[in-house]
Amino acid sequence: MWDDSDGTRGQAYTLEAIIAALLIVSSLTFALQVTAVTPLSASTSNQHIENQQRASANGVLTAAQESGALKEAVLYWNDTAQRFYNTSLFNYYTNEHPDNEFGRILDRAFVGRGLAVNVELHTPGQSSPQPMVYRGEPSDNAVTASRMITLYDEDTLTAPGHENTNLSSASSYGRAVPERTNSDVYNVVRVEVTVWRM
């Protein structure tokens, strides 16, 4: 039988325990660094929130398109001031939604829920979209939805005081949506709504 009168056996066990503890702590530290969870990390709950926001954006666009409010908003242009009606510094809305039915639909869907919304008009041949509502740069978890609107030469602007101006005779509307064809179709616009949590 081994004689442990000098205490070497106990020292060996202690050394083994310390090494094992260091290995466990090192492994845990490495594992936590590899799988760090942040507030913006993808998770089931984040995915669920994004799905809800996408459904809301699609619902807003569907309701607005079916009621005619979406096309009315695209044509809500002050042809004299060369910008969307009742905007001040820019030719798009920054602090509020348009004062029309589409703006009220946006208010009901998103205001008070901690969500920001951008609305852009995309047309073929344009290098960059025309903002209608711009609330800032979307976050990484932003969702988008879009609908197509066909504009015709005989369509009239819908901003107060400009209801008798059709697209073929409007002097400044081409800055927002340029005329694309030589037919009765003025252009086809893709209205894109981007939603994200602030």
Side-chain angles (χ1 to χ4, degrees):
M1 188 165 200
W2 185 41
D3 180 21
D4 190 29
S5 59
D6 61 352
T8 55
R9 190 173 188 177
Q11 290 174 350
Y13 284 144
T14 304
L15 187 59
E16 284 178 9
I18 291 171
I19 291 171
L22 285 173
L23 283 173
I24 291 172
V25 169
S26 298
S27 298
L28 286 173
T29 303
F30 177 75
L32 288 174
Q33 288 176 348
V34 170
T35 60
V37 177
T38 67
L40 296 178
S41 296
S43 69
T44 305
S45 61
N46 281 347
Q47 188 61 49
H48 180 67
I49 290 169
E50 288 176 19
N51 289 342
Q52 285 181 328
Q53 291 171 356
R54 186 174 288 106
S56 295
N58 275 310
V60 161
L61 285 171
T62 298
Q65 189 171 34
E66 289 177 356
S67 69
L70 190 58
K71 187 171 186 176
E72 175 191 333
V74 171
L75 295 169
Y76 202 59
W77 184 261
N78 181 330
D79 203 42
T80 307
Q82 303 180 16
R83 58 184 177 228
F84 281 106
Y85 183 76
N86 217 14
T87 58
S88 53
L89 184 58
F90 302 101
N91 68 345
Y92 50 85
Y93 301 91
T94 55
N95 295 320
E96 70 285 325
H97 295 133
D99 184 24
N100 53 31
E101 186 55 32
F102 180 59
R104 288 185 280 279
I105 293 172
L106 289 173
D107 285 345
R108 287 192 297 269
F110 302 118
V111 170
R113 294 176 52 195
L115 299 173
V117 180
N118 284 349
V119 180
E120 294 178 329
L121 309 181
H122 296 259
T123 54
Q126 267 188 312
S127 57
S128 58
Q130 165 63 50
M132 178 190 295
V133 177
Y134 184 76
R135 293 292 175 85
E137 192 65 29
S139 67
D140 291 338
N141 62 344
V143 298
T144 61
S146 63
R147 291 293 183 281
M148 302 299 286
I149 297 290
T150 302
L151 301 178
Y152 297 93
D153 288 341
E154 70 269 11
D155 286 337
T156 59
L157 299 178
T158 57
H162 299 274
E163 300 93 333
N164 295 323
T165 305
N166 61 31
L167 295 185
S168 60
S169 64
S171 61
S172 70
Y173 187 69
R175 292 183 60 205
V177 179
E179 187 169 8
R180 184 72 176 156
T181 67
N182 292 327
S183 65
D184 292 341
V185 175
Y186 180 84
N187 208 332
V188 177
V189 181
R190 180 168 57 89
V191 182
E192 183 177 274
V193 172
T194 304
V195 182
W196 71 98
R197 187 166 297 281
M198 292 186 287

